[in-house]
Amino acid sequence: MCSSQESGMNNVGLRMVTRSRSRGPGAGPRRSGEEATPLQRGEAAAEGRKSHPPVKRQRKAQSLNVAYETSDGEKREGTKLPSWEPQDWQQQLANIRTMRSEKDAPVDQLGVEHCYDPNVPPKVRRYQVLLSLMLSSQTKDQVTAGAMQRLQARGLTVDNILQTDDSTLGTLIYPVGFWRNKVKYIKQTSAILQQNYDGDIPASVAELVALPGVGPKMAHLAMAVAWGTVSGIAVDTHVHRIANRLRWTKKVTKYPEETRAALEEWLPRDLWREINGLLVGFGQQICLPVHPRCQACLNQALCPAAQGR
């Protein structure tokens, strides 16, 4: 049985850094890629006494630029107000929350947040989160959960996976979609994690997507679930389909990554983590890929697709 997620992995982290307009006299050149190291309070006071003797006149306050650093190291200045947002999106979102209030979709019981062992060390938990995401591609949650249970019964660690032959690994994860390719990707990724990350998983989107078999959706979910950091909106086939049906993108998008970029342009950041699970469950129960249950949808009158627009 997949286990409930520990509360410690739910915390969302966003790091704020400040940049002054000048580095100050005597700072010397900074090497490329070098980050400024903040001083401790006592060190800062001592440094101030040594470098800046007291003066009688009051110095003009220095202007600071504030930047928010995302998980992949990209710095975003301030908070940009969206130049466009969908009509009625807030009411549509409220209606979806109402329809999802029972939390009884497959993703609510068998999603990635529930498919790791809470009793193993944090590093192993993070590895299990990543593997469950790799298995979930083109696979129903019920099938992914079954494969994770079989792997965990044998001890799901980097070392154990690397010691398991391909035929046995394939038997354990079958019938997940594209299971033969996933055997290869899991072995390759596990070897990289053992060699470069001491058996842990990377803590940035850029490094995660560089792993074999790991795409952007998996990377953003891994950042949220394994590291507690919101790095972007995780867009799978459900989120992609529903966003286009509700016209939550300024223009029709063909691929999930286009949809992610379009959503991040206007959707408030504090909704980025919630939106994946909310829309995935909605897509599993009501806004189905084929023959959506529009008659049971509270958004029927507000949905452009349901109205034939």
Side-chain angles (χ1 to χ4, degrees):
M1 180 71 66
C2 291
S3 305
S4 298
Q5 181 187 9
E6 290 188 332
S7 59
M9 298 184 73
N10 275 326
N11 297 328
V12 175
L14 180 63
R15 187 152 56 100
M16 187 174 79
V17 296
T18 59
R19 297 199 302 264
S20 66
R21 294 194 184 277
S22 68
R23 297 188 61 209
R30 182 179 294 165
R31 295 188 297 273
S32 174
E34 179 184 356
E35 291 287 337
T37 304
L39 294 173
Q40 299 295 326
R41 182 175 301 175
E43 295 172 337
E47 186 69 20
R49 289 192 298 269
K50 179 171 63 177
S51 302
H52 304 286
V55 293
K56 294 182 179 179
R57 64 183 178 86
Q58 184 177 2
R59 298 183 65 179
K60 184 178 180 181
Q62 189 178 35
S63 175
L64 294 178
N65 288 335
V66 177
Y68 294 89
E69 187 168 5
T70 60
S71 60
D72 57 2
E74 176 189 359
K75 293 183 177 66
R76 297 179 180 174
E77 300 287 345
T79 302
K80 184 178 72 173
L81 295 176
S83 58
W84 174 89
E85 62 181 27
Q87 183 180 4
D88 300 321
W89 75 268
Q90 291 176 314
Q91 185 59 55
Q92 291 168 337
L93 179 62
N95 288 340
I96 293 172
R97 283 177 173 149
T98 299
M99 290 182 281
R100 292 278 288 114
S101 60
E102 296 297 323
K103 300 287 185 183
D104 54 359
V107 70
D108 299 312
Q109 311 300 326
L110 303 170
V112 61
E113 294 92 344
H114 307 284
C115 281
Y116 64 83
D117 184 351
N119 299 313
V120 297
K123 184 165 66 174
V124 179
R125 289 203 301 266
R126 290 190 287 267
Y127 175 66
Q128 293 186 5
V129 167
L130 182 61
L131 248 65
S132 71
L133 288 167
M134 294 176 70
L135 293 173
S136 70
S137 175
Q138 303 295 311
T139 304
K140 292 184 179 298
D141 289 333
Q142 298 90 327
V143 176
T144 300
M148 286 295 293
Q149 291 171 13
R150 293 189 292 274
L151 290 170
Q152 288 167 350
R154 292 176 59 94
L156 183 49
T157 65
V158 169
D159 289 340
N160 283 351
I161 288 296
L162 291 175
Q163 292 170 12
T164 302
D165 63 81
D166 289 4
S167 176
T168 301
L169 183 56
T171 300
L172 290 170
I173 69 172
Y174 181 85
V176 300
F178 303 101
W179 63 272
R180 291 185 179 85
N181 287 337
K182 289 177 182 179
V183 167
K184 177 178 65 176
Y185 294 147
I186 287 171
K187 282 294 193 72
Q188 291 174 345
T189 288
S190 297
I192 292 171
L193 298 182
Q194 184 185 63
Q195 181 176 355
N196 298 341
Y197 298 95
D198 191 29
D200 209 336
I201 71 172
S204 74
V205 171
E207 291 174 287
L208 284 165
V209 296
L211 297 171
V214 178
K217 180 208 75 172
M218 302 177 203
H220 289 301
L221 279 175
M223 290 299 297
V225 177
W227 291 111
T229 299
V230 176
S231 56
I233 299 174
V235 176
D236 68 351
T237 181
H238 295 291
V239 178
H240 172 66
R241 176 179 73 255
I242 294 167
N244 276 277
R245 283 179 176 175
L246 291 175
R247 305 295 189 266
W248 279 11
T249 58
K250 195 171 184 178
K251 60 180 182 180
V252 175
T253 55
K254 294 183 178 180
Y255 308 105
E257 270 299 275
E258 286 184 80
T259 303
R260 180 188 65 79
L263 289 173
E264 290 179 2
E265 281 291 318
W266 66 268
L267 189 68
R269 192 182 179 93
D270 58 1
L271 298 176
W272 286 11
R273 176 163 184 161
E274 175 193 17
I275 205 68
N276 175 266
L278 196 67
L279 295 189
V280 168
F282 180 56
Q284 290 175 335
Q285 293 183 308
I286 295 178
C287 198
L288 306 174
V290 181
H291 306 304
R293 300 175 58 209
C294 295
Q295 296 298 325
C297 182
L298 298 180
N299 282 327
Q300 184 179 16
L302 298 175
C303 178
Q307 297 300 314
R309 301 198 303 268

